[in-house]
Amino acid sequence: MRKQLLLLIATSMIMPVVSEAQTAKKAPAKRTAQPAARRAVAPPNAKQQLAKALQMAQNGQYAAAANNLFTLARKPELAAERPQIKYILGTMLMQLKLYQTAAFQFVDVIRSGNPRYSKPAIEKLSIVADGLGDDTILNYAISRVDLNSIPASQKDMVYYRLGEIQRRNGQFAKAIDMFGRVGANSSYYFQALYNRGLSELEANEVPAAITVFQNMIEARGAAPVTDTNKVQAQLALARAFYQKKDWDQAIEAYSQVPRDTLAWHDAVFEQSWAMLRAARFRSAMSNFQTLHSAYYEDFYMPESLLLRSIVYLYICKYDEMEKVLNLFETTYGPIRAKIGNFIKSTNDNTYYYQELEKAKIIKTTDKSANLHLPYIVLRNIMDQGDVKRAMNYLARLNQEKARVEGSPTFRASALGQYSLKIIANRMKNTKLAVGDMMKAHLLNMRAELHDLYEQAGFIRYEMINGRKESVKKKIAGKDLGEQIDDNVNRKFYIENGFQYYPFQGEFWLDEIGNYHYLGKQSCE
C-alpha cells in the first residue's frame, strides 16, 4: 500500500511542478531589482505549498503533510485540486490510524464525482469503514462499488460486506451468492461460510445449511476446542437439525458445544427444548438443574422456567410445577413492572445509553452503580448483536480520540481539532443510536414477558386441571395406562425414584452440567 501511495504522490506532484516550470518559461525575462529582505519573507504560492506538502508525504512525514494538506484543501485557488488533496489527506490519516477522520475525506472525494479519485476513494473508504465497523459509512461505500473494478486484494471483503447487507435486507439468495464468492484463503472466509449457512436456514434450505456447517466444522478440525468459528458452526448445526425437527441429531449436536464457551449456556437451554420434543423428560430436567443454578443467577431466561414447568406437567409433578411457576412470577413480575416504568419515565436516548453504560461498569469493575433497571435485563441487552457491534465501534472511536490527544502538537493543530470534533460528533450519534437500540430491546422484552405471562396462566390452568384429574382417578381407582416416555430406555440411570443432587443452593462450577435428574413421573 505504501508503494502505491508513493507512486500516486509522485505522479500527483508532476502536475504542479510542470505547471510551475511552464509558468517560469512564459514569464517575461524582465528582472526587477527587489530588496533581499523582501524576497526572503515572500510566502510561497498555493501550488508551491501543495508541492511541499506532497514532498512531505513522500518522505513519510505523515502528520506534517496531513496538517498542510488540510489547510490547502480549504484554499479557493486550489478548488480544482481539492479531490486530489483530500484523497491524499485521507491516505495520510490512514497511515496515522485516524480512520474516522480519513473516512470523511474519502466521502468528500466520492461526492465530488472526480473520475480520477472517486474510485480509489471508494476502495479506501471500504477499508476504513470495515476497520471501524461503521455500518453507515460501510453501506455508503459498498453501495457505490463496481464489482468488476474492485482490486483483487479487496474483493473478499466487499463480497462479504455485500452479503451482510443483502442478508439484513432479506435477500437471502443474493446473500448466499455473495458469501459463496469469498475465497478460501481470505480472512473473511469462515465468517462468510457461517453467514452463508445462516442465509440458507433463513431461506429454509435446511439440508444445504447442514452441509455448510458440517464442512466448516471439518475445516476447523485442527483448531482448539474453544475456537470461535468452530463453536459457532457447531451451535448453528444443532439449530439446523432442530429446524429440521430431527430431535436426536439436534440433541447430539448441542452436546458437542464446549462448556468453556459463552455459547454453552444457549446450547443447554435449546437442547432442553429438543429433549422435550423428543420426550426425554429426565434429560431435560437434568439441564434445568444447570440452567437454574446459582451460577447463572445473572442471566435473563424467563422462558426456561416455563419450559421446566411444562416438563413437570408432562411427568405430573404438580408440586414442583407450582414452585417453578411461583418462581417465574416473583422473579419476572417485578422485572416486567420496572421495564414498563422505565419506558414510561423517559424518551431520552441519552438516558437509555447512560443506564447501559452503568451496567457495563458493573460487569467489569464497580459493583455499586445505582441502576434503574435490573442488571439481568441490561446484561441481556448488552449481549445483543446490534448493541455489541455499536459498543465496539464506540471503543474504536475512543482509541482514535486517544491517538489524537496523545500528541499535544497534533491535537493543537487545526486538523487535530477537526478530528476531535468529528470523533465527538460520531460518538454522540452512536450513543443515541445505542439508546434507541436499547429502547427497542426493552419494548420487545416487555412484549415477550406479557406473552409469557399469558402462557404461564394457561400452564397453571393445566396444572390445576391435572391435579383434579389425578384426584378423580385416584378416587375411582383407575390406572392411567401407558405414559408418553414409557418406551425410553432407562438402563443408563442408576436408580429410579431419586433426584440426584437434592441439595439447596450450593452449586460448584466444576459440577455445572453434570447434574442428573433420576426422579420418575407421577402420572399414576
Side-chain angles (χ1 to χ4, degrees):
M1 177 178 168
R2 188 168 185 271
K3 187 176 177 183
Q4 292 175 340
L5 173 63
L6 293 176
L7 180 63
L8 175 64
I9 293 171
T11 55
S12 300
M13 290 178 66
I14 292 172
M15 291 180 62
V17 171
V18 171
S19 176
E20 289 299 316
Q22 290 171 342
T23 304
K25 286 181 181 176
K26 292 177 183 175
K30 184 172 68 176
R31 293 190 176 184
T32 306
Q34 294 291 338
R38 187 176 174 184
R39 285 202 304 271
V41 297
N45 63 36
K47 301 229 175 196
Q48 289 172 327
Q49 292 177 37
L50 177 57
K52 184 180 177 183
L54 295 175
Q55 188 66 49
M56 286 179 174
Q58 194 174 21
N59 294 336
Q61 298 170 272
Y62 301 132
N67 268 309
N68 287 345
L69 289 169
F70 179 70
T71 305
L72 292 170
R74 299 181 173 186
K75 288 186 178 290
E77 59 267 40
L78 292 176
E81 289 84 2
R82 192 164 292 148
Q84 171 200 4
I85 296 171
K86 280 189 166 282
Y87 176 75
I88 297 175
L89 171 59
T91 312
M92 295 295 97
L93 291 166
M94 284 179 72
Q95 294 290 338
L96 295 169
K97 297 184 178 178
L98 301 179
Y99 301 122
Q100 186 62 67
T101 315
F104 273 59
Q105 310 312 311
F106 295 133
V107 168
D108 284 347
V109 176
I110 295 166
R111 284 178 177 163
S112 73
N114 183 287
R116 182 177 179 188
Y117 293 102
S118 289
K119 181 185 163 188
I122 290 171
E123 294 166 11
K124 290 284 193 309
L125 183 62
S126 303
I127 295 169
V128 294
D130 182 52
L132 284 166
D134 185 338
D135 284 342
T136 306
I137 295 178
L138 191 61
N139 291 346
Y140 177 82
I142 294 293
S143 64
R144 285 159 175 76
V145 165
D146 178 6
L147 291 178
N148 297 319
S149 60
I150 305 171
S153 60
Q154 302 301 325
K155 277 190 175 179
D156 289 325
M157 184 272 287
V158 172
Y159 288 148
Y160 174 71
R161 294 300 181 190
L162 271 173
E164 277 193 326
I165 293 169
Q166 287 162 346
R167 185 177 162 229
R168 278 199 293 269
N169 294 333
Q171 300 169 305
F172 303 122
K174 290 182 178 177
I176 292 166
D177 177 49
M178 282 297 148
F179 290 132
R181 294 189 189 193
V182 177
N185 295 323
S186 168
S187 59
Y188 292 90
Y189 177 65
F190 287 109
Q191 287 176 281
L193 207 57
Y194 176 72
N195 278 283
R196 180 183 169 184
L198 294 184
S199 302
E200 301 271 15
L201 281 182
E202 287 169 307
N204 208 27
E205 299 289 343
V206 181
I210 289 173
T211 302
V212 168
F213 294 132
Q214 286 174 331
N215 290 341
M216 190 172 167
I217 294 167
E218 187 178 346
R220 301 295 298 176
V225 175
T226 55
D227 175 72
T228 304
N229 287 318
K230 188 158 67 174
V231 172
Q232 289 301 320
Q234 186 64 45
L235 185 60
L237 177 65
R239 288 170 174 168
F241 280 125
Y242 189 95
Q243 187 169 331
K244 193 184 173 187
K245 299 184 179 178
D246 188 340
W247 314 125
D248 290 337
Q249 291 269 35
I251 292 168
E252 174 59 25
Y254 279 124
S255 68
Q256 297 300 316
V257 176
R259 72 174 58 191
D260 295 332
T261 59
L262 292 175
W264 187 66
H265 183 266
D266 288 341
V268 173
F269 170 63
E270 293 173 24
Q271 187 189 45
S272 306
W273 266 114
M275 287 170 170
L276 174 68
R277 302 295 295 269
R280 291 168 59 171
F281 302 124
R282 288 184 181 81
S283 299
M285 292 305 300
S286 302
N287 280 7
F288 292 131
Q289 300 283 7
T290 292
L291 289 170
H292 301 147
S293 67
Y295 187 71
Y296 290 115
E297 64 182 1
D298 287 340
F299 281 64
Y300 176 86
M301 44 185 180
E303 189 181 345
S304 71
L305 285 174
L306 293 191
L307 180 59
R308 186 172 188 169
S309 68
I310 292 170
V311 175
Y312 278 134
L313 177 66
Y314 271 99
I315 61 177
C316 305
K317 292 282 189 183
Y318 301 120
D319 290 342
E320 287 85 345
M321 185 179 175
E322 185 169 22
K323 288 176 186 174
V324 174
L325 287 174
N326 291 341
L327 179 62
F328 168 80
E329 290 169 354
T330 54
T331 304
Y332 291 99
I335 288 176
R336 181 185 173 194
K338 285 187 178 181
I339 291 175
N341 292 336
F342 189 86
I343 292 171
K344 288 177 185 174
S345 68
T346 179
N347 203 31
D348 182 1
N349 283 6
T350 304
Y351 191 69
Y352 280 82
Y353 172 78
Q354 288 170 347
E355 188 72 0
L356 207 60
E357 186 70 16
K358 283 190 288 183
K360 187 181 172 187
I361 294 170
I362 286 179
K363 189 174 182 180
T364 53
T365 53
D366 184 9
K367 306 291 183 188
S368 61
N370 185 25
L371 295 173
H372 297 94
L373 284 168
Y375 177 68
I376 62 171
V377 171
L378 295 166
R379 176 181 178 142
N380 181 269
I381 293 173
M382 283 191 291
D383 287 339
Q384 300 300 317
D386 55 346
V387 175
K388 284 174 82 171
R389 191 175 174 90
M391 297 298 268
N392 286 336
Y393 175 50
L394 272 177
R396 292 189 182 101
L397 289 176
N398 269 319
Q399 291 168 0
E400 189 163 329
K401 182 183 175 187
R403 286 191 198 102
V404 175
E405 293 179 334
S407 170
T409 306
F410 187 78
R411 177 181 180 173
S413 67
L415 179 56
Q417 292 297 307
Y418 170 76
S419 300
L420 289 175
K421 188 177 178 183
I422 285 178
I423 294 168
N425 192 44
R426 294 299 295 168
M427 290 178 79
K428 178 186 173 186
N429 289 337
T430 306
K431 287 176 182 178
L432 291 175
V434 171
D436 205 36
M437 293 172 197
M438 178 178 165
K439 191 191 302 180
H441 286 300
L442 282 178
L443 288 170
N444 287 338
M445 291 170 89
R446 187 176 65 169
E448 180 194 48
L449 283 175
H450 177 77
D451 182 53
L452 291 176
Y453 257 77
E454 284 191 353
Q455 292 185 39
F458 289 125
I459 294 169
R460 191 176 284 280
Y461 168 79
E462 293 295 338
M463 178 189 74
I464 295 169
N465 193 46
R467 273 179 168 161
K468 185 184 74 175
E469 293 299 320
S470 177
V471 171
K472 284 168 67 177
K473 284 172 180 169
K474 277 185 180 177
I475 293 173
K478 292 182 179 178
D479 189 3
L480 289 175
E482 186 177 355
Q483 299 303 303
I484 193 167
D485 63 344
D486 277 356
N487 296 325
V488 175
N489 187 344
R490 299 174 184 171
K491 290 181 181 177
F492 168 77
Y493 302 110
I494 301 169
E495 186 178 358
N496 268 335
F498 290 91
Q499 181 172 339
Y500 209 50
Y501 285 100
F503 53 85
Q504 295 179 351
E506 191 74 20
F507 293 87
W508 294 90
L509 180 59
D510 59 351
E511 294 174 336
I512 300 290
N514 290 327
Y515 308 125
H516 295 284
Y517 179 81
L518 301 180
K520 65 178 183 179
Q521 63 173 306
S522 301
C523 302
E524 53 190 18

